[in-house]
Amino acid sequence: MRNARRVRLLVRRSNMAASSVLNPAPLTDALARLEHTGETDLAGATALFGARGNNLDRLLTVASRLRDEGLARASREGIITYSKKVFLPVTQLCQDRCHYCVFVETPGGLLKKGIPTYLSPEEILRIAREGAALGCKEALFTLGDRPENRWPVARQWLEDHGYASTLDYVGAMAELVLTETGLLPHLNPGVMSFAELQRLRPVAASMGMMLETTATRLWSQPGGVHFGSPDKDPALRMRVIDDAGRSRIPFTTGVLLGIGENYAERAEALFAIRASHQRYGQVQETIVQNFRAKPHTAMQNESDLALEEYAAAVAVARIVMGPDHSIQAPPNLSELPELLLLVRAGIDDWGGVSPLTPDHVNPERPWPELQTLAELTAQAGFTLRERLTAHPAYLQDQETWLDARVAPAVTALADPVSLLADEGARVRPAPPGARGPRPLSAGPVTVLVAATAPPVDRGVTAGLPRRADPTIVSALARASNDPASLTDADYCSLLTARGDDLDAVTALADEVRSAAVGDTLTYVVNRNLDSSLYKKSLTDDMVRRLVQEAVTLGATEICLQGPIDQALPGTAYRDLARAVRAAGPNLSLHAYRPTEVLDGARRMGVSVEVFLEELREAGVTSVPGTGARILDGGVRAMLSERTDLPVDEWIRPLKAAHRAGLRSTATIVYGHVETPAQVIAHLRRLTRIQDETGGFTEFIAMPYVPFDVPSGVRAVAGEGPGLEASRALHAVARLMLHGRINHVQAAWTKLGFHGAKAVLAGGADDFGGLLLDGVIWPEAGAEAYREATPRDVQRIATALGREAGERTTSYALVQRGLV
């Protein structure tokens, strides 16, 4: 009772705060600006949430107009969509304690109701098949968040059935449903890490997780509706949404309104979603969900979100997200006559509706019959059309947004013109040849199965296309005898190969890889530290703790990158290296890019050679060769925004490092404005350096990723390379560097697991570093929260027919079991 009173008090205070920020003048100004421009800012959106009466009517008019403009641009005039789905409640246990939720149960509650800890594979398949028989095309996996962290019974069930986590089980069941029924999985398992998103991507057409709110106080303060719920931290949930974008996953998110947030916080949540979508393009729909009080919860006595307040919120969401975005309102959370007002407010999608299963999260609110929903939609002047779980915009670029494993199932159900659902199509099980190697109910199903990997062809002749480009056939024939002997023109030709020609190039590159370094897919257990934080938040004591934690977690390498604060002397580079070495005397220390070497030498007033000797004495064992971009002055000047070194200045400290006995990586960033000839010239420079110094241990090709660079570079460089371009570059690098640089690394943080697997099947041999985060301070790493595990590498290796092997920085194999 005390907790319920706290919740009610916090909600009332929040509503008072919402009212106090509004007065007629800001609302009048915001409406006038909106009607003139069709846009609003954060302050304006905050005011617009308070529109009622005539002001609300004006707001809805603008929202409707914007929605209609977007539909016309998408050639979907007069169409509102929905997805026909079946709900699969994998488990109702959860580690969170949301004060409005009736979906989540305790183990005792499940036992009383006769509900299993987890739905069995057989039960999941039974429900899925019934849904398929009723014409469903989507399988929504809904569940509590990481219940094994809170409930021993969940941990025991997973252990007894051979699964490492709930997310592992979800991945296995998604693969099972996709393979055995053809239903398209939409995964909604809560907070996921970057690596977990990567693991699940091959078996999901889309994923989702509600942001709900950015009001941190509702999570951090007693009485808040999310207090005691570790996965409801708004910053954590925004990171998941961002990581879904980095992973190129069509993603659903949204806001839950009426749980204690005020108008300003509602606006902040929508602008946060918009900012993430503008950066990554992943948010395929934003749900605006109204709070409905449920019995037996701490908020059972709170009022439901009022209709006009809800309509205003939907309209503001449309305005903030823009005309081309999809705005969704769940049709079962409003009374049927009220749906007409939501259409006026600017929605273009009703979300998932099931002819079989209830809304397990809102069981007291049944779905409307589809015929009824169609009739109400028609009353509003629109036609109801079925869509797929992945929206049309993401089907237009399947190579980017859909994994090769799930794309055929999506294509089979899509109308080829509109890319909405083909309403006459029915899901079908995958043909036997496309299925994974495990039989049904045979324990855990590997998410990355052998059937999803590009075929590895061990013969050049067998890999040649039937109707190949004669230039490529000729170049491959000569390269099969001496891969590094081709002319620059030959390599340019191979670099532009696509389709069957590209398959032939990658087949030869894979053969050369096998002959040069064998069939072990290597990786290094390492941790990144951002040296630009040194003597600020990264104190010597924190360095010690982070390095010792990395050693405990099994790291053999620490990587330091980043310019040290200009307020510090150049000796700070050396001092940081000494601090790392003192904390980890047996670690490899891979530290400081050419930019930082030059900076440290200049600030110490010594030569590059003397500075490198200082670093060696401090414990540095190798240096990263990043910052190469394209070794072409014109390209660097166009893209660098004055941050890149001139070509000769990048080369000079690397050569000096090699002469000092410090080996380095060699890199390229590709896929922006460079030509094939400039890429080949870059690789030629690397071969000349290697011939002179012998100091490169590996070559790393990093695709240009638009959302990882400043907007000025994006404006010049475009959308970045596709997967075929990445496959071609890695294959050509393997051939061209043969006999000089043995190891070619897949930059998995840029390529994703699926892209890394593709280039590893065509010339690359190394996965790179696992980038351990630890728990003390994950943000200390430059690529924080992008952490892989040895099992991730093993899954990919298995899919490629190889074994995974841990290595050191210098590529000596480490003998120990998987972690």
Side-chain angles (χ1 to χ4, degrees):
M1 290 299 295
R2 183 182 302 167
N3 194 45
R5 285 195 295 271
R6 279 181 175 173
V7 171
R8 289 197 294 275
L9 179 61
L10 191 58
V11 170
R12 282 197 294 272
R13 286 175 177 171
S14 299
N15 290 338
M16 290 170 61
S19 301
S20 68
V21 301
L22 296 179
N23 60 63
L27 177 57
T28 301
D29 292 345
L31 272 171
R33 177 188 173 189
L34 175 66
E35 289 171 328
H36 180 65
T37 67
E39 298 178 352
T40 191
D41 57 14
L42 186 64
T46 300
L48 291 172
F49 278 112
R52 303 290 185 271
N54 182 59
N55 287 335
L56 176 60
D57 189 68
R58 293 167 62 190
L59 177 64
L60 300 187
T61 297
V62 176
S64 292
R65 174 172 57 80
L66 290 176
R67 183 264 323 282
D68 294 345
E69 289 175 5
L71 289 178
R73 273 199 288 271
S75 299
R76 285 201 294 122
E77 296 97 330
I79 291 174
I80 289 179
T81 52
Y82 78 101
S83 176
K84 191 181 290 188
K85 65 177 68 175
V86 59
F87 282 70
L88 298 171
V90 177
T91 179
Q92 290 181 243
L93 296 179
C94 183
Q95 70 169 337
D96 292 331
R97 298 172 172 85
C98 298
H99 299 166
Y100 47 77
C101 180
V102 294
F103 173 75
V104 168
E105 273 286 1
T106 64
L110 292 181
L111 191 62
K112 287 179 183 178
K113 295 179 180 179
I115 300 173
T117 305
Y118 290 82
L119 286 187
S120 68
E122 292 77 14
E123 182 64 8
I124 285 173
L125 265 185
R126 182 192 66 77
I127 299 170
R129 283 172 172 151
E130 287 186 17
L134 292 173
C136 295
K137 297 180 178 66
E138 174 185 345
L140 170 61
F141 286 73
T142 186
L143 57 146
D145 211 317
R146 300 183 192 273
E148 65 271 30
N149 289 352
R150 179 181 177 189
W151 301 112
V153 66
R155 286 196 302 274
Q156 190 62 53
W157 189 96
L158 293 166
E159 182 179 331
D160 290 346
H161 291 79
Y163 295 95
S165 68
T166 297
L167 287 175
D168 279 354
Y169 185 58
V170 168
M173 294 304 99
E175 181 175 10
L176 185 67
V177 167
L178 175 65
T179 300
E180 294 300 317
T181 72
L183 286 167
L184 304 177
H186 173 84
L187 307 184
N188 194 27
V191 167
M192 294 166 277
S193 69
F194 177 80
E196 287 165 339
L197 286 161
Q198 294 287 315
R199 290 171 206 148
L200 293 173
R201 187 180 187 274
V203 292
S206 59
M207 299 188 209
M209 183 201 68
M210 292 287 282
L211 171 62
E212 297 193 6
T213 181
T214 51
T216 302
R217 62 189 177 81
L218 299 181
W219 170 74
S220 62
Q221 297 179 16
V225 294
H226 292 150
F227 186 71
S229 299
D231 286 337
K232 291 303 177 83
D233 177 357
L236 178 62
R237 296 178 87 78
M238 279 306 309
R239 196 188 78 228
V240 175
I241 296 168
D242 286 348
D243 281 345
R246 292 188 183 97
S247 301
R248 293 308 206 204
I249 294 169
F251 204 74
T252 295
T253 189
V255 290
L256 176 58
L257 304 180
I259 57 173
E261 78 293 340
N262 60 42
Y263 290 167
E265 290 161 341
R266 291 178 186 178
E268 288 165 2
L270 289 171
F271 274 88
I273 293 170
R274 186 178 80 171
S276 183
H277 180 65
Q278 287 176 336
R279 188 166 174 81
Y280 303 109
Q282 82 284 26
V283 181
Q284 60 174 357
E285 59 192 342
T286 296
I287 303 171
V288 184
Q289 183 173 332
N290 51 325
F291 166 74
R292 286 287 194 176
K294 295 174 175 57
H296 312 299
T297 68
M299 293 187 71
Q300 63 181 349
N301 295 319
E302 296 302 323
S303 300
D304 293 346
L305 192 71
L307 177 59
E308 283 199 327
E309 186 176 359
Y310 184 31
V314 171
V316 173
R318 164 57 65 199
I319 290 156
V320 171
M321 298 306 297
D324 301 309
H325 196 77
S326 185
I327 300 295
Q328 180 189 126
N332 62 317
L333 298 187
S334 300
E335 302 305 320
L336 290 177
E338 297 171 353
L339 299 184
L340 298 175
L341 185 63
L342 299 182
V343 174
R344 271 208 71 206
I347 67 116
D348 65 301
D349 187 78
W350 293 121
V353 178
S354 179
L356 175 66
T357 48
D359 178 352
H360 291 282
V361 179
N362 300 282
E364 79 285 3
R365 307 290 306 185
W367 300 112
E369 294 288 337
L370 285 174
Q371 181 61 38
T372 302
L373 188 61
E375 290 170 357
L376 282 166
T377 304
Q379 286 180 38
F382 290 82
T383 301
L384 185 66
R385 282 284 307 274
E386 183 184 358
R387 62 163 171 84
L388 301 178
T389 181
H391 286 232
Y394 300 87
L395 273 61
Q396 290 173 351
D397 186 9
Q398 291 192 18
E399 182 185 6
T400 298
W401 292 102
L402 296 177
D403 190 271
R405 176 71 188 276
V406 76
V410 175
T411 301
L413 298 173
D415 177 84
V417 177
S418 67
L419 297 181
L420 297 171
D422 177 352
E423 298 193 8
R426 291 293 178 265
V427 298
R428 296 194 193 313
R435 301 186 182 199
R438 288 178 175 266
L440 293 181
S441 303
V445 181
T446 303
V447 172
L448 293 169
V449 296
T452 69
V456 177
D457 194 326
R458 292 296 187 188
V460 177
T461 304
L464 289 175
R466 284 177 239 177
R467 293 186 297 280
D469 182 325
T471 305
I472 290 176
V473 171
S474 173
L476 288 177
R478 284 177 281 122
S480 64
N481 294 317
D482 187 354
S485 67
L486 302 183
T487 67
D488 287 2
D490 289 331
Y491 287 125
C492 282
S493 173
L494 299 184
L495 198 60
T496 57
R498 296 294 183 266
D500 287 350
D501 290 336
L502 177 56
D503 290 342
V505 176
T506 57
L508 175 60
D510 195 59
E511 181 73 15
V512 172
R513 183 270 313 156
S514 181
V517 296
D519 291 327
T520 299
L521 172 51
T522 52
Y523 64 93
V524 63
V525 182
N526 68 344
R527 181 174 207 163
N528 269 353
L529 294 179
D530 185 352
S531 44
S532 68
L533 302 174
Y534 187 49
K535 293 298 184 182
K536 292 185 280 189
S537 45
L538 187 60
T539 63
D540 286 329
D541 180 63
M542 181 58 74
V543 170
R544 176 186 59 78
R545 293 173 60 201
L546 291 171
V547 172
Q548 289 177 348
E549 182 186 48
V551 171
T552 301
L553 294 172
T556 62
E557 175 189 286
I558 294 291
C559 181
L560 293 177
Q561 296 187 84
I564 284 181
D565 193 327
Q566 291 291 318
L568 298 173
T571 52
Y573 286 103
R574 180 193 62 198
D575 296 342
L576 175 55
R578 284 177 175 167
V580 172
R581 175 58 63 215
N586 298 317
L587 290 171
S588 294
L589 179 50
H590 189 62
Y592 305 134
R593 300 169 292 189
T595 305
E596 289 127 32
V597 170
L598 291 173
D599 179 54
R602 176 187 59 79
R603 286 157 65 180
M604 284 183 65
V606 299
S607 68
V608 166
E609 288 75 13
V610 170
F611 182 73
L612 287 165
E613 189 56 39
E614 292 263 357
L615 292 183
R616 275 191 57 130
E617 291 177 0
V620 172
T621 54
S622 62
V623 297
T626 42
R629 186 102 68 177
I630 295 289
L631 295 176
D632 179 278
V635 173
R636 293 168 79 81
M638 187 182 301
L639 297 175
S640 70
E641 294 193 341
R642 300 181 181 178
T643 59
D644 281 350
L645 293 172
V647 172
D648 290 342
E649 284 298 281
W650 180 84
I651 292 174
R652 182 167 66 90
L654 269 186
K655 283 185 176 181
H658 294 174
R659 287 193 294 269
L662 297 170
R663 304 195 73 188
S664 79
T665 55
T667 64
I668 189 173
V669 179
Y670 64 93
H672 26 59
V673 298
E674 79 286 353
T675 65
Q678 288 168 327
V679 171
I680 299 306
H682 179 107
L683 293 173
R684 284 290 186 205
R685 278 186 182 266
L686 297 182
T687 62
R688 288 195 293 272
I689 296 170
Q690 187 72 343
D691 288 344
E692 181 181 340
T693 70
F696 290 131
T697 54
E698 64 203 325
F699 172 71
I700 310 170
M702 294 174 281
Y704 156 69
V705 180
F707 44 71
D708 282 345
V709 300
S711 58
V713 174
R714 289 201 299 275
V716 174
E719 296 302 313
L723 185 57
E724 285 198 322
S726 293
R727 291 175 61 206
L729 191 144
H730 285 78
V732 168
R734 168 58 69 187
L735 300 177
M736 195 169 175
L737 301 176
H738 181 63
R740 290 185 171 96
I741 303 176
N742 283 337
H743 299 289
V744 176
Q745 186 181 118
W748 65 269
T749 61
K750 306 288 188 184
L751 292 162
F753 286 3
H754 62 295
K757 185 178 62 170
V759 302
L760 286 162
D765 67 294
D766 183 68
F767 187 77
L770 300 187
L771 305 178
L772 301 176
D773 279 331
V775 296
I776 294 175
W777 186 24
E779 295 83 359
E783 294 181 283
Y785 300 108
R786 279 180 265 184
E787 176 183 18
T789 70
R791 292 194 182 277
D792 293 322
V793 187
Q794 184 60 64
R795 287 185 180 102
I796 294 173
T798 300
L800 296 171
R802 301 183 207 167
E803 283 296 323
E806 183 185 348
R807 64 164 174 88
T808 64
T809 306
S810 59
Y811 281 84
L813 289 178
V814 176
Q815 299 299 320
R816 61 179 165 191
L818 289 177
V819 178

